[in-house]
């Protein structure tokens, strides 16, 4: 092991630190991204609604997981945008493409949400 490497954590300590880091990521995204705050507000409404409106456990799982998918993809998109901005704020074709692709992933996750909610509630 070199002097720059830390020993790997294991067990409960690793799980606690993973949770702490995850919470920092959630808070950071919430503070820095208006889109994430809006999606969290939507999730606060749709998560209980999905659990209530689903008739079967599978329907409930689909409704709830489609909402969570949007949050997950937005967090990944925020991570991509943060890394791109860390590398440099000047315009570059590849930086723009990375951000656009992340944004498209968020849009598609909303499409999944609309399709699932539409099929289950209107179909």
């Amino acid at each position: 092991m070199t002097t720059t490497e830390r020993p790997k954590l294991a067990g409960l300590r690793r799980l606690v630190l993973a949770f702490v880091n995850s919470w920092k990521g959630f808070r950071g995204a919430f503070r820095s991204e208006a889109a994430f705050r809006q999606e969290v507000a939507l999730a606060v409404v749709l998560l209980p609604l999905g659990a209530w409106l689903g008739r079967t456990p599978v329907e409930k799982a689909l409704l709830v997981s489609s909402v969570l998918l949007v949050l997950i993809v937005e967090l990944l998109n925020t991570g991509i945008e943060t890394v791109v901005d860390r590398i440099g704020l000047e315009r570059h074709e590849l930086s723009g493409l990375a951000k656009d692709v992340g944004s498209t992933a968020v849009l598609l996750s909303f499409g999944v949400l609309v399709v699932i909610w539409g099929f289950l509630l209107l179909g």
Side-chain angles (χ1 to χ4, degrees), residues 66-123:
S66 66
V67 175
L68 294 175
L69 177 66
V70 171
L71 295 177
I72 291 165
V73 175
E74 182 64 51
L75 287 168
L76 293 170
N77 182 46
T78 298
I80 291 168
E81 290 179 349
T82 302
V83 169
V84 168
D85 289 346
R86 168 67 175 90
I87 292 169
L89 295 177
E90 68 278 355
R91 293 209 178 271
H92 188 280
E93 181 181 341
L94 293 177
S95 296
L97 178 60
K99 288 183 170 193
D100 291 346
V101 168
S103 180
T104 302
V106 174
L107 179 65
L108 290 175
S109 72
F110 268 110
V112 169
L113 182 144
V114 168
V115 166
I116 289 172
W117 282 71
F119 279 152
L120 291 179
L121 300 180
L122 303 175

Side-chain angles (χ1 to χ4, degrees), residues 32-44:
S32 68
E33 290 293 323
F36 186 66
R37 288 191 297 275
Q38 293 166 345
E39 291 156 358
V40 167
L42 185 65
V44 166

Side-chain angles (χ1 to χ4, degrees), residues 13-39:
R13 181 165 168 80
R14 185 189 68 76
L15 290 175
V16 168
L17 288 176
F19 178 80
V20 167
N21 290 334
S22 296
W23 182 246
K24 282 185 197 176
F26 184 92
R27 278 191 6 236
F30 193 84
R31 286 181 183 154
S32 68
E33 290 293 323
F36 186 66
R37 288 191 297 275
Q38 293 166 345
E39 291 156 358

